[in-house]
Amino acid sequence: MKIVISDPAAKWFKEDFSMGKNDKIKFFSKVYGSSPVQENFALGFTAEDAPNKMAVKTERNGVEFFVEEEDVWFFDGHDLYVDYDEKEDELLFDYKK
């Protein structure tokens, strides 16, 4: 599994989510909602100061994006691609095998 953050998404995290150098964003599974990879579960994200057990990580513009071991099951073998839609002003999540 890998995490790919587009330039527009990295810019959004930096500007709109106020993330700077050495900050961390954790992607995690949450009950309620839905996703293309898990029924009844959605993807969430949060700023995280003290990661527990990183399974996958990537860095963009000084910000580290990661998934912990306990949430790898959610992706069901898919890679996570994060983009930003400026027109809709929202993040887009895509899952690719």
Side-chain angles (χ1 to χ4, degrees):
M1 177 190 171
K2 67 181 176 180
I3 302 169
V4 179
I5 309 292
S6 72
D7 288 338
K11 182 179 175 187
W12 182 89
F13 277 103
K14 185 172 182 148
E15 295 176 0
D16 289 13
F17 208 61
S18 301
M19 301 305 291
K21 196 165 189 83
N22 299 321
D23 285 337
K24 295 173 178 50
I25 295 287
K26 175 173 78 170
F27 294 105
F28 62 95
S29 60
K30 61 182 186 175
V31 179
Y32 307 115
S34 66
S35 72
V37 291
Q38 295 293 338
E39 191 174 326
N40 300 319
F41 289 89
L43 182 67
F45 64 87
T46 188
E48 178 70 45
D49 291 333
N52 189 13
K53 293 183 180 179
M54 286 189 200
V56 181
K57 65 182 176 177
T58 192
E59 182 270 328
R60 289 292 305 227
N61 298 341
V63 177
E64 194 166 47
F65 299 87
F66 69 95
V67 173
E68 290 187 339
E69 289 177 5
E70 66 186 26
D71 287 309
V72 170
W73 67 269
F74 172 83
F75 297 94
D76 190 32
H78 293 79
D79 296 329
L80 173 63
Y81 288 77
V82 183
D83 201 359
Y84 173 71
D85 182 336
E86 189 174 331
K87 183 178 176 184
E88 297 295 325
D89 189 28
E90 67 183 11
L91 290 173
L92 304 171
F93 302 105
D94 194 13
Y95 307 87
K96 299 178 183 178
K97 278 210 174 191

